[in-house]
Structure formats: structure tokens, C-alpha cells
Amino acid sequence: MREQEEFFLNAHEFGKNFTWGVSTAAYQIEGAYDTHGKGPSIWDTFTTKPNTVLNGDNANVSCDFYHKYKEDILLMKSMNIDNYRFSISWTRILPNGIGSVNEPGIQFYNNVIDFCLEQGITPWVTLYHWDLPQVLEDKGGWTNRNIIQWFSEFTSLCATSFGDRVKHWMVLNEPMVFTGAGYFLGVHAPGKKRLKNFLPAVHHAVLCQAEGGRLLRKLVPNAQIGTTFSCSQISPYRQNNRDKKTTVLVDALLNRLFIEPALGLGYPTKEAPVLKKLQPYIQPTDMEDCLFDFDFIGIQNYTREKVRYSLLVPYIRAKIVKASKRNVPTTLMDWEVYPPSIYNMIKKYSSYPQIKKIIITENGAAFKDSIDGEIINDIARVNYLQRYLNQVLKAKKEGLNIHGYFVWTFTDNFEWAEGYYPRFGLVHINFKTLKRTIKASGKWFADFLSRKN
């Protein structure tokens, strides 16, 4: 039955106003890490440290989108992709984080935006996709409350430089990930650990999320302003009370922590008591300043997580049980392939009456691609996309508040701490020659999009 459903999956069923696109991030694809005045970001620094990134990889060159943006945008056009989400490298336009503007950096993004528009592709810009200027990290980065002023300067520069042509904006990309992995677990840049770093980083990111939205609304007429959240369906590993209670706590941290303050609901301290430790960082008008009425929210779903109670884990007493230990189908990231998760997350966020519109701003998978000359047969990715899209269509048909879908990602790229090992792209990159080759999944997506009207 599943094969039949996938075979008949058709883009026009989602409706004429459904938005289709692909997503990327500056640090992961641009390369040119010190070209034309660009300053170092925390990821430029982090990748130089031993034992931080698989195989010692870095993104100094990566896909070299900086020099090959026309080739990639033309490839998008050939694949019927008419919405392109990309981010602005903070240090490419403000090498010192604040102050002096780097005009070649501004010109690069002007060129990308203009070429997208020439090809009939709508640019969707993410302001912050994890590449904080190192000079600001040296001052505490997201743990320093001054980040609100620093981020405001960066946002204002982007809005005034590009807002005449860019009308779709996202403020932050997955704040739970860059604060959790970067300031609590230390597995992402800048590699900080402990609750004393995580908590202020969380609160300042929530404030920046809203302040960025306010600035865009003020400076960019007729803009659609959103922000994006990582999310996963959280299920108990065992059907006992401890695991069920743990599931509620983990869901509060992973799926509610950043959206609820923006909606005026405050932090979910009842379900996650550890968040009461945020209080020392909250100033008198802060919870009011966390509010912003976004035009849409982006949700980014790949998998579900199963959690169990664990006395050994401080603060939260919870442990995620790896997919590889649960005898379930997995991706190269050891993420469970579980299509209903995307439907369940759309349903979850649709239940907030304050949310006007939901867009899937990332969904995709890394599998081992089969390469035979010019043919790259990634049938596992095709199946993954079809099965997840079936669940998105189910949500759409039920009248849930879902309005778009962006694949992660367009080309294979630098996948943060995993380096170049996991490939998520619809387009294969040979990282020695930089040759682009459309995979079977890219051809399938192109054909799928050709039938959307």
C-alpha cells in the first residue's frame, strides 16, 4: 500500500499557494573563508581545534558557492526550484561583528539575490545560521547580554542592504541546537559546556529572536517574517510513568523552549523545572520583549526521539535512546526514519492559535549514495522524501496550518561536527573537483515540482 501512495504523490495536491524550495546555510556551502575581507567566525575557529570535527574537516572551501553561485542557481532553475533559502554570513559583511562594513561581502549577497530574481527564484534569507563572529565570542558570545545590540546592528544592516528585494526573512535557525550543542554539550562551536553558559545563551537568543523580528518589520515594507525551530516527536522508551514524565520534560526543552516565550506563554518551567534557573538572567521587561507576532514559523523535522528516565543525567534525569539501539531503520546520522513525526509536529504547532502559518523549512536525510559514473542512485533518499511528504500532505488535507516545504539540502555540504561524511544533498558534490551532479532524488524532486500547477 505504501508504494502505491508514494507512486501517486503529486505536488498539485498541496495547492497552488503551497511554497516549495531548498535550504542551505552560508558556512556550510560558501567556502572562501578569508576571501575579500571576511572575518573569522566561531566555526572557522572551532574546526582548527583537534578532535572537534570528523576527519579534521573544515569548510574553508566546501562547495565554493562563493565563486559558483551562478552555477548552483542555474541548476536550481533547471530543477524547477523557485524558492531558495540561504543565510548571510555575519563576518562576511561585518568582519569585526559590529562597526566597519565589508562592501565586497554586501556585494556578494547583492549578486546572489539579484541572480536569483533574474532566474525567477525567490530568495528566503536566514539572518543567523550559527556562524557568530569570533571577535564577539571572545566577549562571551551568546552568553553576553550585549549580543542583543550586536545582533540588532547585524539585522539592521541586512534589512537596509537587501530588504528592497528580499521579502521573506527568518531571524534565527534552530536556537535550541546552537545553544544546546554549542553552549551546553560543547560538540558544536564555540565548544562551551555547562548550564552556566547554556541558560544565558538561551535567554539572549529568545530576546534576539523577537528583536530581530521587530527590526525587520520596521525596516522592510511588506516582508514576511519568520524564524525556525528544530523539533522532534518525543516518545517514551518504555510505557512506565517515569519514562512518560521524562518525555514531557524533554518535549518542553526541545520543542517548546523557544516558541512559547515568543507567543507570550513564557518559559515552560512547570514541565522543565531546570528552566527556573533562567530567572537571574531575566530583567524586568524581558518577558514582554520576548514577544513577537511572526508571520510564519519554520519547523525543521528529521526524526523522532525516544527517551527514558536516567538518574545519572544531571538536571533533567533524561536520556535519549539512540536509534541504532532500537532496531529501527536509520540514516547515516543515526536518526530514526519515522515519517509520522513530521505530521505529528505540524499538528503540535498548529495547536497554538497564535501561529499564523507553518512552513517546513528543513527536512531531508543523509544516506550512503550509490555512485556509478554519472549516475548517483540515492533511492533511500527518494523514499524518505516521498514518505515524509505523504505525511505533510496528510496534514494539509486535514486542514492543518501547513503552507510550504523546503528540502535540506540542495547540495552536499559541510555537515558541522560530522564534516563531509553525511551527504544530505539533492545534488552530489565531488569535494576534490567541485563537480555538481544531480542525484536520483534531485531528478525525482524536479519531476515532482514540474507537476505542481
Side-chain angles (χ1 to χ4, degrees), residues 12 19 44 64 66 109 161-162 179 197 209 230 233-234 259 291 330 342 361 387:
H12 75 75
T19 300
D44 290 311
D64 199 23
Y66 187 78
Y109 292 110
S161 299
F162 314 124
T179 57
N197 292 310
Q209 177 178 268
S230 53
Q233 179 181 334
I234 311 297
I259 182 65
L291 281 161
T330 63
I342 201 164
T361 41
R387 293 174 66 196

Side-chain angles (χ1 to χ4, degrees), residues 285-323:
T285 64
D286 278 7
M287 295 319 292
E288 202 174 298
D289 292 338
C290 290
L291 281 161
F292 184 72
D293 185 19
F294 285 103
D295 297 301
F296 69 93
I297 65 156
I299 61 173
Q300 310 195 159
N301 174 265
Y302 293 88
T303 187
R304 73 164 168 174
E305 303 287 5
K306 288 208 167 187
V307 297
R308 65 176 177 82
Y309 175 82
S310 174
L311 190 63
L312 300 176
V313 180
Y315 308 118
I316 60 171
R317 305 285 180 247
K319 189 174 180 64
I320 289 174
V321 182
K322 289 182 178 180

Side-chain angles (χ1 to χ4, degrees), residues 112-182:
V112 171
I113 292 162
D114 290 345
F115 197 67
C116 279
L117 293 171
E118 284 173 28
Q119 303 308 318
I121 294 171
T122 302
W124 293 59
V125 166
T126 310
L127 288 174
Y128 184 75
H129 204 129
W130 304 3
D131 48 358
L132 188 72
Q134 182 60 47
V135 67
L136 300 183
E137 179 55 39
D138 293 342
K139 297 175 182 178
W142 287 95
T143 69
N144 185 337
R145 193 177 170 94
N146 289 331
I147 189 76
I148 302 162
Q149 283 73 47
W150 303 334
F151 184 71
S152 296
E153 184 174 331
F154 169 58
T155 300
S156 297
L157 178 60
C158 290
T160 54
S161 299
F162 314 124
D164 59 329
R165 287 150 294 149
V166 176
K167 300 300 179 183
H168 298 83
W169 295 83
M170 281 152 273
V171 181
L172 301 180
N173 182 76
E174 297 187 338
M176 185 59 211
V177 178
F178 74 74
T179 57

